[in-house]
Amino acid sequence: MRLVHLDLKGAAPRVSYLEQVFPLLSQLGASGILIEYEDMFPFKGDLEILKSPFAYSEEDIERIQQLAELHKLEVVPLVQTFGHVEFILKHQKYQHLREVERFPNSFNPHVPDTLSLLKSILSQVIEKHRHSTWIHIGADEVFHLGEGMDSKNWMSRNKGDTGTMYLNHIKEVLGFISTQNWGLQALMWDDMLRKISVGALRGERMGRAVAPKLGVSAALIHLPPEKPPELAEGDGGTATAGPTSLPGHCPHWLAEVRGGGSPALPSAHAAWSMMAWLALLCRYDHYSVLCELLPVGIPSLAISLQTLVNGGFTEETKRKILDSLGFQSMHLEQSTCEGRGIFPGAEIYHMVQQVNDHLKESILKALEEESAIKGWFSPYHRKHQFGNPRNMESFGSKVLKLHEDWESFVHDLRNQLEKVYFPDTVEEWMEENVSPYLDQLRDLVQDYQ
């Protein structure tokens, strides 16, 4: 399986854009879509509080699955069941379920309401994905586990540790999933499991603790600690605006949750051939700034997928990527691609590149290097509204033209972004990447006028 992870934390694309992207992902070699809906899922009833104002509708969820099936992509829903649950625990209604009261990152596994809430969430997600044969339970980066008073008391009473506590919670989650759909198989991130010895995993008899078809055995699919050097990463960096081909962080890999016997661990090569994970993150957690926009990450994703498909980044691989994306050339060392581009969102790719390469530089150059501005239109002059027209006119036309050009460009960029994203994402991206610089120019022009 070659899964593309769409992490939709507060910056989900419109379904109309996914309609354009799914054929490309299939063409590039993806076999499935791992969808972490978070607040974009159309939760109902008591869970409605979890929804974003721009959450997908039930019809949208159905449409996404139809599109995936049309392009031979299996949909694997991801429901975080332990850590990364800020979108849940930020609400006062669920604050009592936090492991540590101050932090909304992780569930307290000792409060009965935690499992009850998870069952409700899982039930609704599973119900809307009846054709999926896999579900991902997240369970990574359970920050502060063991630091809460309930956990400390439990470890003291039971002479246990955080590993045992972690496995107990996972068993409960898997046990519930097994009652929902007999054929459903589970995936989880392996970073927390790496901290637990194989002996401890075997000792927990995870495979026997739940239904025979589902459980964790000591023979987890265990991807190598170091990824193959030729594999490009696709999640990009936090708060970066420019098009990238290779940067990113990849904290952990997929682990298959399986029941039954305990076959030997596969070799690293076998593990890679069975499952690979490529991420397009919206943000690193619910509270962080945006990562690169999805259209900006597509060239990176294309490199990653084709490298996996072909076993290396060969000239033939490079040529297929260029043909698929409509570029003339790419330079991995500089993280740049040259050419118009024909992939969905190519306009955004180039416009973001313009913002990254020229917006800040051109505006700061005008404001800080223009001697007439520094000498005759300083912050003091502007505050008290006085200046010599002769000196002001020496820079006025240049500044007004720069302002007019960027305002026109940003108007077009906003129109392109609104085709792909909902208004909240567009506004956030503009405020983070455009406004800090363009607002300075706007203020100067207003004072000049």
Side-chain angles (χ1 to χ4, degrees):
M1 294 175 69
R2 289 182 291 270
L3 298 175
V4 174
H5 178 192
L6 296 179
D7 187 347
L8 306 181
K9 289 181 174 65
R14 297 179 185 272
V15 176
S16 57
Y17 182 67
L18 296 179
E19 188 171 351
Q20 302 172 58
V21 169
F22 280 11
L24 178 63
L25 298 183
S26 181
Q27 176 188 342
L28 290 169
S31 59
I33 308 294
L34 177 65
I35 305 182
E36 186 168 356
Y37 292 106
E38 205 170 89
D39 58 357
M40 287 302 295
F41 189 81
F43 291 108
K44 297 188 297 185
D46 291 341
L47 301 180
E48 197 165 351
I49 190 175
L50 303 180
K51 286 197 313 183
S52 159
F54 301 99
Y56 293 143
S57 66
E58 292 185 31
E59 292 75 22
D60 288 335
I61 300 298
E62 183 62 31
R63 179 61 179 153
I64 288 170
Q65 293 177 87
Q66 290 172 351
L67 290 169
E69 183 179 5
L70 180 64
H71 299 290
K72 298 180 172 55
L73 296 168
E74 179 161 5
V75 173
V76 180
L78 191 159
V79 178
Q80 286 286 0
T81 56
F82 215 159
H84 284 297
V85 285
E86 297 92 345
F87 82 103
I88 300 171
L89 298 183
K90 71 178 183 181
H91 296 286
Q92 186 175 1
K93 178 179 179 179
Y94 299 118
Q95 191 169 339
H96 67 291
L97 302 183
R98 297 177 179 183
E99 168 70 358
V100 176
E101 185 179 359
R102 288 177 57 218
F103 306 131
N105 304 75
S106 306
F107 278 125
N108 177 347
H110 309 288
V111 180
D113 285 353
T114 292
L115 192 61
S116 176
L117 174 62
L118 281 173
K119 287 179 178 179
S120 297
I121 292 172
L122 286 164
S123 294
Q124 290 196 21
V125 173
I126 291 171
E127 175 60 32
K128 294 299 176 187
H129 294 82
R130 281 296 172 187
H131 298 298
S132 293
T133 57
W134 296 86
I135 187 169
H136 196 304
I137 63 169
D140 61 315
E141 295 179 342
V142 187
F143 299 135
H144 309 293
L145 181 61
E147 296 178 17
M149 191 54 64
D150 287 345
S151 290
K152 289 178 180 178
N153 291 338
W154 183 90
M155 289 188 287
S156 176
R157 287 195 308 268
N158 296 277
K159 297 181 179 179
D161 56 20
T162 55
T164 304
M165 204 156 52
Y166 176 84
L167 292 177
N168 285 344
H169 179 71
I170 295 304
K171 284 193 294 185
E172 294 277 8
V173 170
L174 295 173
F176 173 73
I177 290 173
S178 70
T179 67
Q180 298 300 292
N181 186 332
W182 182 256
L184 202 57
Q185 300 179 80
L187 294 167
M188 62 190 294
W189 301 125
D190 78 335
D191 61 309
M192 298 296 292
L193 294 169
R194 286 179 184 273
K195 303 173 186 177
I196 304 171
S197 69
V198 173
L201 286 168
R202 287 199 177 110
E204 283 297 312
R205 296 174 179 261
M206 294 291 283
R208 300 182 188 181
V210 294
K213 288 269 185 182
L214 188 62
V216 179
S217 75
L220 292 157
I221 299 300
H222 201 72
L223 294 181
E226 299 298 328
K227 61 190 177 298
E230 69 272 14
L231 176 62
E233 296 185 29
D235 58 338
T238 306
T240 53
T244 56
S245 293
L246 287 176
H249 99 302
C250 198
H252 36 260
W253 303 105
L254 286 169
E256 180 182 349
V257 181
R258 34 164 57 191
S262 298
L265 286 171
S267 68
H269 175 77
W272 273 107
S273 69
M274 294 175 74
M275 202 171 293
W277 164 61
L278 301 163
L280 286 170
L281 306 182
C282 286
R283 59 185 88 233
Y284 282 107
D285 71 38
H286 191 76
Y287 286 93
S288 75
V289 296
L290 290 168
C291 296
E292 283 116 349
L293 299 172
L294 177 54
V296 180
I298 283 180
S300 172
L301 180 69
I303 293 169
S304 298
L305 278 170
Q306 277 296 294
T307 298
L308 282 169
V309 170
N310 296 298
F313 189 67
T314 63
E315 281 301 314
E316 182 182 349
T317 302
K318 183 176 179 180
R319 175 44 51 195
K320 180 169 182 181
I321 295 167
L322 291 173
D323 291 343
S324 297
L325 301 182
F327 287 131
Q328 275 72 58
S329 63
M330 61 173 60
H331 307 283
L332 268 61
E333 296 77 10
Q334 289 80 39
S335 293
T336 58
C337 299
E338 296 176 358
R340 181 182 175 189
I342 57 171
F343 60 92
E347 298 88 353
I348 292 174
Y349 177 91
H350 288 297
M351 296 180 91
V352 168
Q353 191 171 33
Q354 284 286 101
V355 169
N356 192 50
D357 292 347
H358 302 298
L359 176 67
K360 177 180 178 181
E361 179 186 0
S362 66
I363 291 176
L364 293 185
K365 184 176 181 180
L367 299 184
E368 297 176 4
E369 296 183 14
E370 179 65 55
S371 61
I373 293 178
K374 297 184 73 172
W376 280 270
F377 203 52
S378 72
Y380 184 82
H381 291 86
R382 294 166 61 186
K383 178 180 178 181
H384 295 282
Q385 298 184 343
F386 80 102
N388 188 327
R390 176 179 178 277
N391 301 100
M392 290 175 62
E393 286 173 4
S394 69
F395 67 80
S397 60
K398 186 189 302 183
V399 167
L400 291 175
K401 179 67 165 60
L402 181 67
H403 174 250
E404 181 184 348
D405 289 347
W406 276 118
E407 289 288 10
S408 175
F409 175 88
V410 167
H411 178 267
D412 292 342
L413 172 58
R414 184 181 287 273
N415 286 340
Q416 291 294 333
L417 289 173
E418 287 173 349
K419 294 177 183 178
V420 175
Y421 290 105
F422 297 99
D424 59 335
T425 302
V426 176
E427 204 58 43
E428 180 180 356
W429 195 90
M430 298 296 280
E431 286 191 23
E432 289 283 351
N433 297 283
V434 173
S435 296
Y437 312 109
L438 190 54
D439 282 354
Q440 295 180 57
L441 183 60
R442 287 166 173 161
D443 291 342
L444 180 82
V445 168
Q446 183 177 343
D447 290 344
Y448 174 87
Q449 291 171 333

